[in-house]
Amino acid sequence: MSASDAVEEFERDVLEANVPLAALHEAAGVSGDARMRVLATHVAFPSWPGVTSASALRHAAQEAEITAALDEYASSARPLLRPADQERWELLVAEMQRRSGEGFLADELGRSAVGASLLRAKLGGGPHRVQQRAGIDCACGYAVDGLLPQRLCPECCDVLLRRWVAEERRLLRAMPAYAEDVAQVIDDVAQQQTKVFESHGEYLDSEAFGRRKAGGRRLARLGRRHRAELAGADLRRWTSFIEPLSRASTTSLRSTVQKVHKRGLGAAALTELGVRADAESIKAFVKDSERRTKSSRRV
């Protein structure tokens, strides 16, 4: 029997013996299926410039929605569970992750409760996969054990940033007016940043960073304007990405997170613009080098 089969068999046994939990599990499946259908029609909203492909965005959006469904299920399921059953389940999940090579970051199932593996499968979810490899090609250890290193490796940063943006979009999807305002700010900053790198100068990276910081101030004002909508939002998962990403190995990503995370929703998108800025900076450098080379040849 595979480790994943062992998890699901244990879940079936517990659900069969625990009628209230089984009823909750069934209801969670129905409501989860409904929310996935709604997501399918709104997966591209809100939209703003970034660095993630459309297919990766869809996958991240589905992952964020399923994770939210599993979190909600867990909060109601835990009071119905015997502590021993939950502890046994967590051990089985950890063993499944260890044997599969998935690790802590690739598979967030262990955050939930007994029944989550079956529920996730019903909603069309599964562990994170990277280019058909098992797990995440982590060089810092965080993906394996969840212990934060001094600097997070690029692979972990990539996964966490994509999830942070997806969670941000999930939250904003429930607040359309707020989402449109945030998207406008991100679009404006992206255009300003691009114009910076189309100009000539010695401090383009600093200028682009300044545009992102200014965008953060606009986001803070939006947060105050939409405080009534925000009052009902659960930002715990969104907030959970801030500390690890504040230890990113990439300077532009790390500095942007540290400056804008207190500005509220939209901070993840601004941080992604920091990654976009790196690509634009390299492109501008190459273009400038080619221009200088051509100029020197004419002389």
Side-chain angles (χ1 to χ4, degrees), residues 44-49 168 172 176-191 218-219 222 265-266 269 273:
F45 180 82
S47 177
W48 52 59
E168 184 166 88
L172 286 168
Y178 188 12
E180 289 178 358
D181 287 344
V182 168
Q184 185 62 60
V185 171
I186 303 306
D187 189 57
D188 289 348
V189 174
Q191 291 184 45
R218 289 178 62 187
L219 290 176
L222 285 180
L265 296 182
L273 288 186

